[in-house]
Amino acid sequence: MIIDPWGTILAQCKEFEMTSGEEGVTETDESLQGELAIAEIDFELLTRVRKEMPLVNQRRRDIYSLQESDV
């Protein structure tokens, strides 16, 4: 499942039911294959959301601190 920052579902794979047998969890239908969800990224939307939701500026510095990564 792919969702945007506001929780709107952009893409979702087909669901299938799983059953639990004596030997653990098994698929109900052996013909089911994995799926891949693909969606376009709206970089302008991400930029707007990051400005509207400035979480880094609202963090509690008295509780924890962010550490820089050397990557």
Side-chain angles (χ1 to χ4, degrees):
M1 177 181 291
I2 302 173
I3 59 171
D4 74 2
W6 298 119
T8 303
I9 298 173
L10 302 176
Q12 183 172 0
C13 294
K14 180 173 49 178
E15 294 183 25
F16 60 94
E17 186 178 331
M18 300 287 281
T19 59
S20 182
E22 291 180 18
E23 301 194 16
V25 177
T26 57
E27 293 181 10
T28 56
D29 184 351
E30 294 180 10
S31 67
L32 293 173
Q33 299 292 320
E35 291 189 330
L36 178 67
I38 299 173
E40 290 188 28
I41 298 174
D42 183 346
F43 291 103
E44 290 179 9
L45 172 65
L46 290 178
T47 301
R48 285 194 315 268
V49 168
R50 288 177 179 153
K51 288 179 182 176
E52 294 172 17
M53 230 188 276
L55 300 178
V56 172
N57 297 332
Q58 297 173 1
R59 73 179 188 271
R60 296 268 318 260
R61 296 173 197 269
D62 60 321
I63 296 177
Y64 68 92
S65 62
L66 297 177
Q67 296 180 0
E68 293 292 325
S69 174
D70 291 336
V71 177

